[in-house]
């Protein structure tokens, strides 16, 4: 069944509790012959790292993974890759209160209801720290895809935090995580953090130059598997294919024009016209080869004031969630690239 | 792998091309002892039926399924249930043009790219007719759940079509498919249909009185599996958990109040308060026992004028998509009810 | 989970109770572009047919399947193929006793213990009739493989029935199902049938000219999946890889010579020598390209005298089991041919 | 797909190359609340340990695993358990020859053919060392089952090595691994080892007091899943259900009497009599509650004389294979105990 297994052909299984000995991932189904890149691993883990920005949680684990299997002389063997991250910044004493008072917005209470026996330290398995394994797995998916499709690229980045909205997506760098407004947003978050406040936001995911024909036509449509992947990220509560975000949900004046478009009022029938703003690079569940666009909305992290006072409160998770979303997208694309090898007789 | 298989424990596999001999479903993993209800099957198939409203496609197949296996003396055997619907209204001549001109908004071209050999008649397997099998499977899931949880109920209904928005969800009947505005919307659609126009819309899904503890914590979160299920419906391009729909995307004045809430401005920290508008009955991926709410957005059906002229154009699919969405929700809930039997030692 | 699903990439799901309306199979994961052969379907169903020999059960259903989906203009579409066989020879009255007296050697009693609610008519789903779906699925697997590998062939045939042993495997025809001794064995079975006696036997399966590299190295070794496939046939109680059958289990004088060989006594170390009698075409779980050999042992069918008196007793199932075993082997090989497409980067 | 994943509900994934940094297993699907026993882990790893007997390989790694996740305060959390064994006795220099000369009886050459890029050090992933993860996983399965079914027990032990045959199964202790003949067999193996010779053998597996109703009726019959499990052990080439071993394959005089029995000659129809020697505790694929019996045959390990000279040659793997077989049986039974929770409505 695999509650902790993601993917069909290219699969990962993640394990580890936030305050247990280690977190990790096993990558299963990666073909033999892929060059393993430590640079990519380091880059991803750095982007995911807490404490990267001044307003982030001060929990600053280095998170340098060990590679335990699956690679020999720098290339994958076609066997499972196990990657391990030891938990070093382990302070059980901070969390003794949590047992008595389930944190708001967290799953402590329902988790208890479900399993009866739970690890209350830092959320245990429900901690966002679980996503470290996903990021490692996504990096392996990326190594695989980059060798086959040099031009394929995936980027996920915040485009809304609180009332800030980013509209220019052309330039992209990690330091400029919110484009030209990065500094402004950071100052805002530092201020709000002091008051124990939290902010949700929106992430835009772009898959550039994907192969045509990814996705299976009925239940494993590419949009279906991507939606499942993104919704498996803790705070994500909405996924949307295409460019609707800028029409229906943010700026009132654009809503109408898009409605005109997708509603085909004014006789502009869809003859010969494929509206990318709606289908977002996926038609009939299958990639068309054009850019795939998704928008994901995240709720603000719920937090406890006592924790916030100690500076370990994370007022906004979208930058880190973006790395996870990007990783999930790499995993889904890798999965379907392999799956599509089965489409035809030869 | 199972491109046409949905579910983990309670599974369906659907088969059939729109203009092939038959459509069908095999339900795998339904426990023994469930009472089989022909009434429910008929009710569902009637709600899914084309031609139910004046503005719908005139393709009026009765769609009375045959039950081929899995039931003896009115109760399930724990073996696969196969349900079959013969295709009677089969007019291959209407579709000869399609081979030359791929329909806009459809997957004809990418499908061809993927499989090379395709059935172009009425979309073949990509036809919305494929969902008949899902509705039958969902009905079996409902039979199973109703025996275990008498109060559990799932309803999916349109709340937006074009510029019409429905806000009162209390009364619900099939004839009143859009509440008090039903007649008004129908008249609107009849008029627009004559011009070959199409309309998208929004469906609200409510799971009433679900058991606590459904969903697996990492990759098979309940919200993740529901999102995947809904996104597997052809025209669905957005899924959203909770009541955000009425805040962020429709009415400007509510956006602010919700932002206040979820952003925790004004010091109203989440202590002790679980904001149902955001988490929608699912926290940490697991059902809390409260009402689960999803909103699904659908793009307007893309159609060909020639077909529209013959009255077989469907200007709005949301009423029928609602039945499919409801069926998918029944399937996901049944799946996780069974899965949760594995949570604990005993 | 899929109790009724077989295979990983190339999958079948079978359904149907012996005395329900129909038996069937859905083939999932067959690539697009495979030529569908009705001749092959007919040939297989004829070989599987009861009543083919004078000593067989008189239940003589024609078993002509209908193809409901997945094929257009004679070639597969990459969508599920559903094949259906209606149950015509349906005599519920014969089976009313069974409810009271569970048949010996059958699963009636444990099945009842497991599911509580069972279909007692002719074994219901536990009937050997369930294998009709497997044979149809295996035929589709064969169609697929024959197009890719013209020389690949699979044959399964009885080599032991009661005290008869067949040693010459060169000539093979359906009429000569037991080689030169066919007539002799048939006469023996006709005589024994009259006394209500049953006979088990041994089937030899040969996979000729398989591709190199089939099988996954750990849990889905080719021998492991083949063993599982063969053991899923009702009466099969032993599976053996290689040519051990003729050494250790039948003729005393050969046991020693093989022991000498596999035990490496007398200094004949295995240096450079790969003993085909032991590894049977599979090393490390992976096909070597040489002939794959399996021997399967079947217990005699347990039967009820009352039924035997009516001529519907089957004193020996090995000829029909051979067709099923052959079908299972086609399915496993097709599955691993597709799976092996994932072995390498490109 | 999961080439390295075993099981359906209770699952393990193993990873690690023989001479890579570590071997390990992730146990997925173990319910919450199971008491974790380090004593059991130690006992199993000790039984699996090389160098336990004088004639065994001198490679004597302690193999003390680390538990990385899934357990809190001594009980399982319902999350994945990761268990890790570091590879300490790592001598790459011994294996430099292997690259040039594939070892006889091993999979070095076909593995190379399949994956192109391989780890030649000590067999890499194809090494018997991979089974360490299975033994750890099997121990967790045993912990789970022992809490639910106190009387359930599984034992696997050698009953044939070369020409030695063990017939008394009543007394069982690890030191007495071959019953009263243990010393005699050990002396024989020490002598043969000096000559670089190897011996296969037979293992008997007994599942004592299993619950009734385990196994799914068609493709996941209990015998089918057990056969697959046993055949996934490297050197296993035959699996046999029931007590046939002592009839047909070893002692000539018993063959006849059993044939009489299972062939129902002499008019002793099976009415009311269930012949345990044939069905071995499983009828119709489902456990009857009686003792389940399997016999597994193993080929002798193929070895290289140079290695043998250094004392690292293993002339007989059956004692260690018995521990692995036992572990696989625990895994299959745990899997089906959980699966059977889905049989009925409630």
């Amino acid at each position: 069944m695999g509650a902790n297994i993601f993917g069909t052909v290219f699969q990962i299984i993640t394990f580890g509790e936030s305050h247990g000995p280690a977190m990790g991932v096993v990558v299963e189904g990666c073909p033999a012959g892929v060059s393993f890149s430590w640079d990519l691993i380091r880059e991803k883990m750095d982007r995911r790292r807490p404490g990267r920005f001044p307003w982030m949680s001060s929990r600053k684990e280095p998170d340098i993974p060990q590679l335990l299997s699956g690679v020999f002389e720098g290339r994958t063997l076609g066997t499972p890759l196990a990657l391990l991250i030891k938990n070093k910044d382990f302070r059980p004493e901070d969390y003794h209160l949590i047992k008595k008072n389930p944190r708001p917005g967290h799953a402590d209470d329902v988790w208890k209801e479900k399993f009866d026996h739970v690890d209350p330290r830092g959320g245990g398995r429900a901690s966002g720290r679980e996503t470290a394994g996903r990021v490692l797995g996504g990096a392996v998916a990326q190594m695989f895809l980059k060798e086959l499709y040099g031009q394929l690229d995936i980027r996920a980045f915040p485009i809304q935090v609180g009332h800030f909205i980013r509209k220019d997506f052309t330039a992209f760098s990690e330091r400029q995580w919110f484009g030209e407004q990065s500094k402004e947003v950071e100052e805002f978050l530092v201020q709000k953090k002091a008051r124990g406040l939290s902010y949700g936001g929106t992430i835009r995911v772009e898959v550039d130059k994907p192969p045509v024909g990814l996705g299976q036509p009925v239940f494993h449509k590419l949009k279906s598997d991507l939606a499942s992947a993104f919704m498996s990220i803790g705070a994500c509560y909405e996924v949307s294919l295409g460019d609707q975000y800028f029409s229906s949900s943010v700026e009132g004046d654009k809503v109408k024009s898009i409605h005109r478009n997708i509603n085909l009022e004014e006789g502009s029938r869809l003859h010969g016209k494929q509206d990318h703003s709606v289908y977002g690079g996926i038609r009939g569940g299958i990639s068309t080869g054009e850019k795939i666009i998704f928008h994901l909305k995240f709720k603000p992290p719920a937090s406890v004031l006592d924790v916030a006072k100690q500076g370990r409160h994370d007022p906004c998770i979208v930058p880190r969630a973006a790395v996870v979303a990007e990783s999930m997208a790499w995993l889904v694309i890798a999965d379907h690239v392999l799956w599509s090898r089965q489409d035809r007789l030869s």
Side-chain angles (χ1 to χ4, degrees), chain A residues 109-182:
Chain A
D109 53 344
V110 282
W111 195 287
K112 173 78 180 167
E113 191 92 27
K114 184 179 182 69
F115 293 112
D116 191 43
H117 180 56
V118 297
D119 178 354
R121 301 168 301 169
R125 178 95 182 115
S127 162
R129 195 158 163 67
E130 171 269 328
T131 59
R134 306 188 190 198
V135 173
L136 293 173
V140 178
Q142 185 173 348
M143 295 169 203
F144 160 62
L145 288 169
K146 288 304 253 182
E147 283 201 48
L148 286 186
Y149 304 99
Q151 292 198 297
L152 167 63
D153 204 12
I154 302 179
R155 304 184 317 156
F157 45 92
I159 62 164
Q160 178 250 325
V161 172
H163 61 281
F164 295 92
I165 291 171
R166 180 185 182 180
K167 289 178 197 168
D168 172 29
F169 312 143
T170 48
F172 177 75
S173 83
E174 193 47 27
R175 274 299 120 190
Q176 290 284 331
W177 69 280
F178 206 84
E180 295 184 357
Q181 296 165 282
S182 299

Side-chain angles (χ1 to χ4, degrees), chain A residues 20-199:
Chain A
M23 312 302 288
V25 66
V26 180
V27 181
E28 163 76 10
C30 180
V34 176
S35 298
F36 190 87
S37 164
W38 278 107
D39 286 347
L40 190 63
I41 294 284
R42 274 186 291 264
E43 179 200 319
K44 296 282 171 182
M45 293 314 287
D46 188 60
R47 281 181 60 198
R48 194 197 158 279
R49 177 171 53 88
R52 187 156 52 95
F53 294 113
W55 46 269
M56 277 185 165
S57 160
S58 58
R59 200 168 179 276
K60 288 178 193 173
E61 306 200 6
D63 281 351
I64 303 164
Q66 292 173 273
L67 175 63
L68 302 178
S69 63
V71 174
F72 178 64
E73 295 179 344
R75 285 193 300 139
T76 58
L77 290 161
T79 63
L81 287 83
L83 286 148
L84 195 71
I85 299 171
K86 297 227 170 122
N87 287 328
K88 289 175 186 166
D89 185 19
F90 173 29
R91 296 183 234 163
E93 67 277 6
D94 294 345
Y95 291 86
H96 65 282
L97 289 168
I98 291 163
K99 253 182 166 165
K100 290 179 225 148
N101 307 308
R103 294 169 299 173
H106 285 76
D108 296 326
D109 53 344
V110 282
W111 195 287
K112 173 78 180 167
E113 191 92 27
K114 184 179 182 69
F115 293 112
D116 191 43
H117 180 56
V118 297
D119 178 354
R121 301 168 301 169
R125 178 95 182 115
S127 162
R129 195 158 163 67
E130 171 269 328
T131 59
R134 306 188 190 198
V135 173
L136 293 173
V140 178
Q142 185 173 348
M143 295 169 203
F144 160 62
L145 288 169
K146 288 304 253 182
E147 283 201 48
L148 286 186
Y149 304 99
Q151 292 198 297
L152 167 63
D153 204 12
I154 302 179
R155 304 184 317 156
F157 45 92
I159 62 164
Q160 178 250 325
V161 172
H163 61 281
F164 295 92
I165 291 171
R166 180 185 182 180
K167 289 178 197 168
D168 172 29
F169 312 143
T170 48
F172 177 75
S173 83
E174 193 47 27
R175 274 299 120 190
Q176 290 284 331
W177 69 280
F178 206 84
E180 295 184 357
Q181 296 165 282
S182 299
K183 280 231 162 122
E184 212 178 332
V185 177
E186 287 178 25
E187 276 161 28
F188 172 82
L189 290 172
V190 168
Q191 283 171 17
K192 297 300 184 186
K193 180 179 181 173
R195 293 172 55 201
L197 298 182
S198 300
Y199 290 83

